[in-house]
Amino acid sequence: MARKQKKPLDLSAYAVPRHVAIIMDGNGRWARKRKLPRIAGHRAGAENLRRIINACVEFDIQVLTIYAFSTENWGRPEREVQGLMNIFARVLDQELDDLHAQGICIHHLGDMSGVSQNLQEKVMHALELTKDNQTLTLNIAFNYGGRAEILHAARAILSDGVSPDDLTEELFSSYLFTGGLPDPDLVIRTSGELRVSNFLIWQAAYAEYYPAPAYWPDFGREELFEAIVAFNKRDRRYGLVTEGADTNTS
Ligand code: IPE
Ligand code: IPE
Ligand code: MG
C-alpha cells in the first residue's frame, strides 16, 4: 500500500511558539469508544508521540513538554499504573536510538525516586546519552505535579541557605525542573477538558491555553498545526494594554 502523502502545512506566515506543552489526555476514552481496555488507549497514545515529536521538529518548535504521568495518577488501579510504567520503559527501549539520531535532547520533569530501579536507570541513560543534542528539547513529565515541583524547589532553596532578600522569580524558576528553559508559550490539552490538573502551574503563568477536542491518540500533525494557527490569533497582553487601545481615562 502506498504511504499516505503528508499534507503540506505552511507555517511561514506564523509565529511558532518556542515551547509547546501538551497534557496528553483522553487515552481511556479513545479505548472505550473502541470497546478496548484502557491500556490499549495508552499504547496508542505512546505511538502517537512519535508523530508529534516529528511534527515539532518539522515546525521548528524548540521545546516540547509532555505530561505523561501525574503525581495523582498513582491513585489509579494498580494494573493501569503498572501498564503505564511498562509503556514508558518500552518507549525508551524502542525509541531512544532514533530520538538520539534525530538530535532530541531528553529531560525529565518530576521525581523518579518513586519508580522502579530499572526504569530509573533507563531514564538516566536516556538523559545522559542525549544531553548534548540540540534539535528539540523533549521534557517528559513523569511522576510530575506542579505543587510537588514547587515544594521541591522551595526545599532546595532553603537547604542552599538562600536569603529571603535574594530570592527572585528568576532564581526560583532556576530551581524548578525546567530551570534554564523558556516558559511554555502554548499549553495544549487534548480530549476537550478545560483543567490544568497540576501541570506547570508556575511556568504557564502567561501561557496561552488551547483545548483540542481530539483524544490524544488522534491528535496528529494537522491538529498541532491548527493549535499553532489558533495561538497566532491570541493577543498576549501580559497585563498591559494593546497598542491602539482607547487611552481615554476619563
Ligand atoms: C491520559 O489519558 C493519560 C494519562 C493520564 C496517563 P487518560 O488515561 O487520562 O484518559 P481518559 O481521560 O480517562 O480518557
Ligand atoms: C492529566 O490527566 C495527567 C496526564 C495527562 C498525565 P488526568 O486524566 O490524570 O487528569 P484529570 O484527572 O482529568 O484532572
Ligand atoms: Mg484523563
Side-chain angles (χ1 to χ4, degrees):
M1 206 172 85
R3 261 187 84 197
K4 206 177 139 209
Q5 280 287 316
K6 259 209 235 168
K7 184 174 163 186
L9 299 172
D10 184 7
L11 276 175
S12 56
Y14 296 99
V16 174
R18 238 184 353 154
H19 181 171
V20 174
I22 306 182
I23 303 175
M24 308 185 292
D25 199 12
N27 294 347
R29 280 162 283 166
W30 181 94
R32 193 170 61 205
K33 215 173 82 182
R34 289 164 177 75
K35 301 199 166 33
L36 294 170
R38 290 179 60 83
I39 203 70
H42 295 313
R43 265 188 241 116
E47 278 163 29
N48 189 45
L49 256 180
R50 163 53 58 210
R51 286 202 293 166
I52 290 302
I53 292 169
N54 289 345
C56 286
V57 171
E58 177 190 350
F59 297 156
D60 216 11
I61 289 162
Q62 289 173 25
V63 184
L64 169 66
T65 300
I66 49 165
Y67 202 7
F69 190 87
S70 75
T71 45
E72 288 73 31
N73 289 151
W74 289 106
R76 294 189 178 197
E78 203 185 318
R79 247 181 51 188
E80 180 167 348
V81 170
Q82 196 48 51
L84 287 163
M85 299 288 154
N86 295 342
I87 288 171
F88 187 24
R90 206 160 46 233
V91 167
L92 287 173
D93 285 340
Q94 291 175 354
E95 301 291 336
L96 184 60
D97 288 345
D98 280 357
L99 292 171
H100 182 43
Q102 228 180 334
I104 312 291
C105 172
I106 302 175
H107 281 250
H108 169 249
L109 315 184
D111 176 11
M112 282 309 284
S113 66
V115 309
S116 74
Q117 188 67 29
N118 179 42
L119 187 50
Q120 286 186 37
E121 282 166 16
K122 284 185 199 301
V123 170
M124 264 147 50
H125 170 61
L127 305 188
E128 181 57 31
L129 179 72
T130 65
K131 69 178 188 316
D132 296 323
N133 290 343
Q134 294 195 348
T135 306
L136 170 77
T137 297
L138 173 66
N139 294 322
I140 303 175
F142 194 92
N143 192 18
Y144 172 87
R147 289 182 172 182
E149 178 182 39
I150 289 169
L151 268 187
H152 175 269
R155 287 198 187 102
I157 289 165
L158 288 173
S159 82
D160 281 356
V162 174
S163 102
D165 290 341
D166 293 338
L167 187 56
T168 59
E169 291 187 6
E170 287 70 29
L171 185 62
F172 196 93
S173 293
S174 74
Y175 276 87
L176 297 172
F177 298 126
T178 47
L181 295 171
D183 282 340
D185 303 293
L186 173 62
V187 176
I188 297 169
R189 182 166 188 153
T190 59
S191 85
E193 301 290 357
L194 300 173
R195 279 190 290 285
V196 175
S197 300
N198 206 6
F199 186 48
L200 301 178
I201 52 181
W202 171 285
Q203 298 91 331
Y206 267 102
E208 293 295 328
Y209 278 89
Y210 178 83
Y215 295 141
W216 168 247
D218 294 329
F219 182 88
R221 170 178 173 267
E222 290 178 30
E223 287 74 17
L224 179 61
F225 176 84
E226 277 171 32
I228 296 172
V229 171
F231 170 78
N232 274 260
K233 297 191 177 125
R234 305 282 178 90
D235 179 15
R236 299 183 84 185
R237 289 190 289 273
Y238 298 98
L240 309 179
V241 288
T242 310
E243 218 176 304
D246 183 7
T247 50
N248 185 352
T249 52
S250 61

